[in-house]
Amino acid sequence: MAVVSWKEICLLTGLVVGCYWNSLFCGFVFDDVSAILDNKDLRPTTPLQNLFLNDFWGTPMSEERSHKSYRPLTVLTFRLNYLFSKLSSSSYHLLNVVLHAVVCVLFLHFCRLLLDRSTSFVAALLFAVHPIHTEAVTGVVGRAELLSSIFLLAAFLAYTKSKGTDHSIVWTPIISTVFLVAVATLCKEQGITVIGICCIYEVFVAQGFTLPMLTHTLLQVLRGKDGFPYAVLQTLLKLIVLIISTLLLVIVRVQVIQSQLPVFTRFDNPAAISSTPTRQLTFNYLLPVNAWLLLNPSELCCDWTMGTIPLVETLLDPRNLVTVVFYGMLSLLAYQGLWFGHSSAKIIMMALSLIVLPFIPASNLFFPVGFVVAERVLYVPSMGFCVLVAHGFKLLSQRGGLKKMSWLLMGILLTTHAVKTFNRNWDWESEYTLFTSALKVNRNNAKLWNNVGHALENQNSYERALRYFLQATRVQPDDIGAHMNVGRTYKNLNRSREAEEAYIIAKSLMPQIIPGKKYATRVAPNHLNVYINLANLIRANDSRLEEADQLYRQAISMRPDFKQAYISRGELLLKMNKPSEAKDAYLRALELDHSNADLWYNLAIVNIEMKDPSEALKNFNRALDLNPQHKLALFNSALLMQESGEAKFRPEANRRFLTYVKEEPDDANGYFNLGMLAMDANENEEAEHWMREAIRLQPGFRSALFNLALLYSQSQRELDALPVLEELLRYHPEHVKGLILKGDILMNHRKDTRGAKACFERILNMDPSNVQAKHNLCVVYFEERELQRAEHCLVETLAMAPQEEYIRRHLAIVSNKMAAMSAAGQPIAPTEGGRASDKQQEQQPQVKQEEEEGQGVASEAGEGARKENNLRKSSPKESVSSQGHGQSKKLDAGQPDKRTKSKSTKEIKDIEKKRAAALKRLEEIERILSSD
């Protein structure tokens, strides 16, 4: 075997980079969304062992909806990408390009075993630029092919060293081969097929046997004329070791999938559920289709499911001739490789082994798979194809006058393939570009129309998306998912009647329950979302809640393990004010998925509705144990701790709010609640900082503005509070407590009775029954020496609140004052410059301010303001037809929590202290007034 030079490695790598550098600008598309964006196994918070318990898409292998694709080492590389760059798609694409370059170099090593230096390099160049590889290299999920190919080639190259110089067996390379095969299989299932390639290499290349020689040797042994030659015995021993290793790997693989095949529908692979001979004719016809893609990769498509390739239903279908021709050519090549022992035969034999064996698991010939044609599974078979093309090029170039022509043709082929590959990469830039490019190749695949609709839907272009979804229903009228997409889009367009009709059509297409036949095996799990989506739509009408509940229960009866149905039903039961039943629904969902942080979070919400905050906090903590960055659990558990009023919870509540604002730096609610915690701890500077940050993020933040003003007022910075109150009232002109606080400050510190009067009168215009504003207006009249008006005002106030003793006393004071002035012959009406004493001016309004702080204003800081940012609930989201995962109940800002907050002991003592001070000053004022 000739050594691969650094120059060749650099040329190959440079060619790969030249063809694929633009893939770095592509995003996550198609299957990447499920494998990367939606796969929790990539997150560092997910235990590493989950990679070995879940399938490629993050679904537990034990679940029926699992695709049974067990590729933990591939997922591990995704996780490493996530560790270094989170969800930056360029890093994922970059690693794929590097891996493809490594495969090309290893493939060149492989070719050197069979071909001369220049021919092997031509084969490697052709492999590096072949357009069929764009799905495997530019599509991030194609990494499974890349990694598996690396270890597949490494295993084969290791095995070629198992023959010693004295023709003895060297066991170390064989052990290495078995290990590398196991690793390749953990990257993708087809890695195990390298064992067969090693067996063919051992028999037909290393030992130089042909089929006639093997037949002759076997006949001689059976006739007893001769024993097994020593070389044959050595070969048998090595093959037995390889075969036993293969069987062990297969047994382990079967145990991993728990002896269950994945559930695929007729939309994924229509031929798989067809009857004989349609199934056999179609699957055999798919072989020449794949061969044609290798020969002529001019029209590539990301999805060949549904109606892309019509079924071959009869023997009279002319496409059967293509199948016959394909098998004829394959038989001819196999004959050349098996019957002759020259070097060309060995090359053909190894090329065929690379084409056929790795393709068998995806051929549908022995067991159905979830696709009709998938370009990425041709990644390894294309190696054998490139070897054949390069070998044919060599034979052609050896014919005198054709040498220059053959090199010219090869140059044109490499150039056109490189250009096609580069341009094809741009199709993978986004889901919209990918699926629209696929529609240019095939317009009979409803899934493509649906996917273009999904891409437009993600851009909030619902009208355009609807046109594609409707076209999908016309192309495939019985496609349940297409009708679900139509329904969801109508809902997004606020066309509820049409949405319900679309869902009802989708529901009517569901398989009917047949007694004695398992329903789950005949329906795609995500299609059951039609019941969820229809129920979510009609539950918006409070008169149809029972109807919605019936739909949830119907879905559960069809699949008792349908987790999303329990989640959605739990939300509905909460809306129906049935928290105990909602709790049962969430507990059932937790039995199915106890490691789901969203479910523990939802259960905590139910506990809050059931007035059980301690249990709610426990369940919030369970959610955070599973996902320490669970934003809603962080926020609401911290809020629960804050509202408990217990000082021991404040440090942890503060830590959780800080973690929350790191995750959601633009959410003003997080900063506001940090400010409230600081106010509780009398950390005024810190409280001011957080309140200011909340107001910066959300101008007009009602509670933040009021509590900041209150903070200034309580810190003897009343004049600083005034501009804050002005801003509050500009956004919320009817904020009663803000008006009262402003009026008190204007009277007390600005001596602006006119401004204070305007505040109190504005309140009374909005709410004539507001006793607090009415009484304070009476105080303003007294301050302005309008004693008759003050007396009349207090009489009206007392009529509004006859139980309030302080109003009665103030009325008596004013009446006595008027009587005293009349007896002294003093005018009762105010005169120019006739004002009360300075002591009266300072103390009279202060009485009410202190009382308001004790009875009204202060309560906003401790109670009312917090109610504006408590636990929130949103309407349930619909499940997109291509997804089957349940989501937790999301929470929206703006809806106040129904819970009330009990005041802490410290707050109660503060209020009592203020009330005592107010009463003391009241007595002092009464003495002053009486003495006058």
Side-chain angles (χ1 to χ4, degrees):
M1 178 180 71
V3 178
V4 175
S5 68
W6 281 106
K7 183 178 180 180
E8 290 172 320
I9 292 175
C10 290
L11 284 173
L12 266 179
T13 304
L15 185 61
V16 168
V17 172
C19 288
Y20 286 99
W21 68 266
N22 59 333
S23 69
L24 303 185
F25 303 101
C26 298
F28 294 117
V29 297
F30 203 18
D31 290 338
D32 298 348
V33 175
S34 299
I36 308 296
L37 300 182
D38 298 337
N39 192 347
K40 294 182 180 179
D41 287 347
L42 271 64
R43 279 50 173 178
T45 54
T46 302
L48 199 61
Q49 65 184 25
N50 281 25
L51 274 64
F52 298 89
L53 300 175
N54 299 340
D55 67 13
F56 185 58
W57 316 98
T59 305
M61 296 291 290
S62 58
E63 292 191 12
E64 187 176 359
R65 61 190 177 91
S66 169
H67 280 220
K68 311 301 180 184
S69 46
Y70 188 66
R71 305 164 192 172
L73 296 186
T74 303
V75 180
L76 181 60
T77 66
F78 293 152
R79 187 168 173 134
L80 291 174
N81 270 122
Y82 186 90
L83 182 65
F84 288 106
S85 62
K86 300 294 182 184
L87 294 175
S88 173
S89 59
S90 57
S91 72
Y92 295 79
H93 289 295
L94 176 62
L95 184 52
N96 272 24
V97 173
V98 171
L99 293 175
H100 181 52
V102 173
V103 174
C104 291
V105 173
L106 289 174
F107 179 59
L108 180 56
H109 278 283
F110 173 87
C111 293
R112 287 285 155 83
L113 295 171
L114 307 170
L115 305 168
D116 60 49
R117 193 176 193 91
S118 61
T119 309
S120 61
F121 192 61
V122 167
L125 290 175
L126 182 59
F127 178 79
V129 302
H130 202 296
I132 202 71
H133 298 156
T134 51
E135 183 171 344
V137 181
T138 310
V140 178
V141 295
R143 187 176 299 176
E145 268 73 26
L146 302 174
L147 288 170
S148 179
S149 299
I150 288 174
F151 292 107
L152 181 148
L153 290 170
F156 177 80
L157 292 173
Y159 182 78
T160 59
K161 300 176 182 178
S162 63
K163 185 178 181 180
T165 54
D166 57 351
H167 300 287
S168 61
I169 300 176
V170 183
W171 288 105
T172 301
I174 294 178
I175 295 172
S176 299
T177 297
V178 173
F179 172 76
L180 290 169
V181 170
V183 174
T185 306
L186 291 175
C187 294
K188 191 176 181 183
E189 298 78 3
Q190 69 180 25
I192 201 171
T193 60
V194 71
I195 295 289
I197 298 172
C198 291
C199 292
I200 290 175
Y201 172 81
E202 178 67 30
V203 174
F204 296 101
V205 179
Q207 301 300 332
F209 287 110
T210 62
L211 190 59
M213 291 172 61
L214 286 174
T215 305
H216 175 74
T217 302
L218 183 60
L219 289 175
Q220 290 292 93
V221 172
L222 291 176
R223 291 170 182 170
K225 295 183 178 181
D226 197 2
F228 279 107
Y230 181 70
V232 174
L233 289 174
Q234 280 189 317
T235 300
L236 283 175
L237 181 59
K238 293 166 76 172
L239 295 182
I240 288 171
V241 171
L242 292 177
I243 292 170
I244 291 175
S245 302
T246 304
L247 290 175
L248 289 174
L249 286 173
V250 170
I251 291 171
V252 171
R253 183 69 177 83
V254 171
Q255 289 297 316
V256 166
I257 67 173
Q258 302 181 1
S259 304
Q260 293 179 341
L261 289 175
V263 177
F264 300 117
T265 69
R266 59 193 176 89
F267 301 112
D268 299 316
N269 191 345
I273 63 163
S274 300
S275 58
T276 303
T278 300
R279 181 170 64 254
Q280 291 78 10
L281 292 175
T282 303
F283 284 157
N284 280 281
Y285 171 69
L286 294 178
L287 301 180
V289 170
N290 282 278
W292 180 249
L293 288 174
L294 289 173
L295 281 167
N296 180 31
S298 59
E299 293 187 342
L300 299 178
C301 182
C302 63
D303 194 313
W304 295 80
T305 55
M306 288 192 162
T308 305
I309 300 176
L311 297 175
V312 182
E313 297 181 318
T314 67
L315 292 171
L316 299 178
D317 193 312
R319 288 176 294 174
N320 290 320
L321 292 175
V322 179
T323 305
V324 172
V325 171
F326 169 78
Y327 274 113
M329 295 180 65
L330 190 65
S331 300
L332 182 62
L333 288 172
Y335 172 75
Q336 289 289 326
L338 291 171
W339 254 261
F340 302 99
H342 50 71
S343 61
S344 183
K346 294 177 181 179
I347 293 170
I348 292 172
M349 199 64 222
M350 289 306 300
L352 285 179
S353 69
L354 267 177
I355 292 173
V356 175
L357 295 179
F359 185 72
I360 284 177
S363 66
N364 283 291
L365 295 176
F366 298 98
F367 49 84
V369 294
F371 52 83
V372 178
V373 173
E375 293 164 11
R376 62 176 174 266
V377 303
L378 294 174
Y379 188 77
V380 176
S382 68
M383 295 180 187
F385 171 79
C386 292
V387 169
L388 284 179
V389 172
H391 182 56
F393 158 76
K394 175 188 174 183
L395 296 177
L396 190 64
S397 64
Q398 288 175 344
R399 297 188 177 183
L402 296 177
K403 183 175 182 179
K404 291 184 178 180
M405 179 62 70
S406 61
W407 276 104
L408 177 62
L409 291 174
M410 181 54 67
I412 293 173
L413 180 64
L414 290 173
T415 302
T416 55
H417 274 24
V419 172
K420 171 66 176 177
T421 297
F422 183 83
N423 290 331
R424 174 63 174 160
N425 289 334
W426 290 121
D427 291 341
W428 292 81
E429 184 178 13
S430 67
E431 293 207 324
Y432 181 76
T433 57
L434 179 63
F435 297 124
T436 50
S437 71
L439 282 176
K440 295 175 184 176
V441 176
N442 172 37
R443 303 180 69 84
N444 295 320
N445 186 339
K447 191 173 178 181
L448 294 176
W449 293 98
N450 279 321
N451 284 331
V452 175
H454 286 310
L456 292 169
E457 187 180 34
N458 291 335
Q459 300 171 13
N460 296 325
S461 183
Y462 297 122
E463 290 286 357
R464 292 177 62 199
L466 181 61
R467 290 198 292 270
Y468 282 91
F469 290 143
L470 288 172
Q471 180 62 25
T473 63
R474 287 190 282 268
V475 170
Q476 188 86 36
D478 58 349
D479 181 10
I480 298 172
H483 291 285
M484 291 170 64
N485 293 335
V486 171
R488 186 182 61 258
T489 309
Y490 275 133
K491 183 176 182 294
N492 289 331
L493 291 170
N494 295 318
R495 296 165 64 177
S496 299
R497 184 178 58 80
E498 292 97 328
E500 185 172 348
E501 290 173 357
Y503 285 140
I504 290 173
I505 293 173
K507 181 170 170 286
S508 68
L509 294 171
M510 295 287 286
Q512 300 301 309
I513 296 178
I514 302 173
K517 191 170 184 180
K518 193 176 180 182
Y519 180 85
T521 60
R522 298 178 295 113
V523 62
N526 62 314
H527 284 170
L528 276 175
N529 283 322
V530 67
Y531 293 95
I532 306 299
N533 292 351
L534 181 56
N536 289 347
L537 178 68
I538 66 177
R539 66 191 261 184
N541 184 342
D542 289 343
S543 65
R544 302 180 70 182
L545 297 182
E546 289 293 343
E547 186 180 347
D549 189 36
Q550 185 178 359
L551 286 166
Y552 291 137
R553 286 186 276 113
Q554 187 175 355
I556 291 170
S557 69
M558 291 177 173
R559 287 185 68 98
D561 62 344
F562 191 15
K563 181 177 63 179
Q564 180 59 45
Y566 292 104
I567 294 173
S568 298
R569 185 164 186 253
E571 296 171 357
L572 177 66
L573 290 168
L574 273 179
K575 186 176 182 179
M576 298 171 70
N577 198 26
K578 297 180 179 180
S580 59
E581 293 183 43
K583 180 180 179 181
D584 293 339
Y586 285 128
L587 289 174
R588 180 69 181 100
L590 281 167
E591 290 176 12
L592 299 171
D593 185 7
H594 66 278
S595 62
N596 189 319
D598 290 338
L599 287 175
W600 287 109
Y601 170 79
N602 286 353
L603 186 58
I605 300 298
V606 176
N607 295 139
I608 289 171
E609 295 292 334
M610 297 178 72
K611 306 296 189 294
D612 191 353
S614 60
E615 191 65 25
L617 188 56
K618 289 179 184 177
N619 289 325
F620 279 138
N621 291 338
R622 289 190 181 103
L624 291 170
D625 288 340
L626 293 167
N627 180 8
Q629 272 70 48
H630 194 293
K631 290 179 283 193
L632 293 173
L634 281 168
F635 182 88
N636 288 294
S637 62
L639 195 62
L640 202 60
M641 292 176 176
Q642 176 187 353
E643 294 189 343
S644 70
E646 297 186 35
K648 65 179 181 180
F649 284 139
R650 283 179 191 161
E652 178 61 17
N654 192 73
R655 186 194 69 79
R656 292 188 184 187
F657 277 133
L658 287 172
T659 305
Y660 175 78
V661 297
K662 287 180 182 177
E663 294 292 320
E664 288 288 335
D666 296 327
D667 186 0
N669 289 302
Y671 300 99
F672 167 72
N673 283 284
L674 281 167
M676 296 300 294
L677 273 176
M679 286 183 71
D680 290 343
N682 294 319
E683 297 171 353
N684 293 344
E685 290 185 7
E686 188 174 351
E688 180 182 357
H689 167 72
W690 293 124
M691 292 296 182
R692 286 289 184 189
E693 188 65 18
I695 295 165
R696 182 187 67 81
L697 290 170
Q698 184 180 322
F701 193 154
R702 180 178 184 272
S703 298
L705 286 165
F706 178 79
N707 282 285
L708 179 60
L710 185 65
L711 176 67
Y712 287 147
S713 177
Q714 292 175 344
S715 305
Q716 285 76 51
R717 297 171 59 188
E718 287 82 357
L719 297 182
D720 290 336
L722 278 177
V724 179
L725 289 168
E726 292 289 350
E727 185 177 359
L728 169 67
L729 295 171
R730 179 164 59 88
Y731 284 100
H732 309 283
E734 298 181 357
H735 195 284
V736 172
K737 293 174 183 176
L739 287 167
I740 288 176
L741 182 57
K742 180 183 176 183
D744 287 342
I745 293 174
L746 289 174
M747 266 207 308
N748 242 12
H749 301 277
R750 280 284 186 87
K751 312 304 180 185
D752 182 3
T753 56
R754 181 178 299 177
K757 183 193 294 186
C759 291
F760 302 138
E761 287 177 344
R762 190 194 302 182
I763 296 171
L764 292 171
N765 286 334
M766 295 183 293
D767 180 16
S769 63
N770 191 303
V771 176
Q772 194 173 350
K774 183 75 171 178
H775 177 271
N776 285 9
L777 182 61
C778 301
V779 174
V780 172
Y781 293 150
F782 182 84
E783 181 71 14
E784 292 179 338
R785 309 302 294 168
E786 296 186 18
L787 300 184
Q788 290 179 335
R789 196 170 183 184
E791 181 184 38
H792 180 69
C793 178
L794 285 169
V795 170
E796 292 178 347
T797 307
L798 185 62
M800 293 165 60
Q803 74 282 0
E804 296 292 348
E805 186 61 31
Y806 75 92
I807 300 174
R808 195 182 305 278
R809 289 201 305 273
H810 288 182
L811 176 59
I813 291 172
V814 173
S815 298
N816 292 337
K817 177 69 173 177
M818 292 174 65
M821 292 177 69
S822 295
Q826 297 178 359
I828 296 176
T831 59
E832 186 73 23
R835 300 291 302 271
S837 67
D838 290 343
K839 190 172 186 181
Q840 289 173 320
Q841 290 178 25
E842 292 176 4
Q843 290 182 336
Q844 183 73 12
Q846 182 69 25
V847 175
K848 196 54 198 170
Q849 185 201 6
E850 291 294 336
E851 288 185 351
E852 298 307 333
E853 286 182 354
Q855 297 175 4
V857 176
S859 66
E860 175 92 6
E863 203 171 326
R866 296 184 189 184
K867 289 183 181 178
E868 295 185 23
N869 294 280
N870 260 334
L871 296 173
R872 296 92 64 192
K873 293 183 285 187
S874 74
S875 58
K877 294 185 177 179
E878 288 188 281
S879 304
V880 179
S881 63
S882 60
Q883 298 174 344
H885 300 291
Q887 299 297 323
S888 71
K889 180 172 51 177
K890 301 301 181 188
L891 302 178
D892 292 334
Q895 180 177 347
D897 184 29
K898 295 178 182 177
R899 291 176 294 154
T900 57
K901 170 186 172 294
S902 58
K903 293 183 176 64
S904 65
T905 304
K906 181 178 180 300
E907 288 172 329
I908 293 172
K909 288 180 179 178
D910 287 345
I911 292 171
E912 291 300 328
K913 190 184 298 183
K914 290 174 181 178
R915 284 178 175 168
L919 289 173
K920 184 177 180 181
R921 279 189 288 272
L922 177 62
E923 292 171 358
E924 184 179 354
I925 289 172
E926 289 174 349
R927 286 198 302 272
I928 293 170
L929 293 174
S930 299
S931 64
D932 285 346

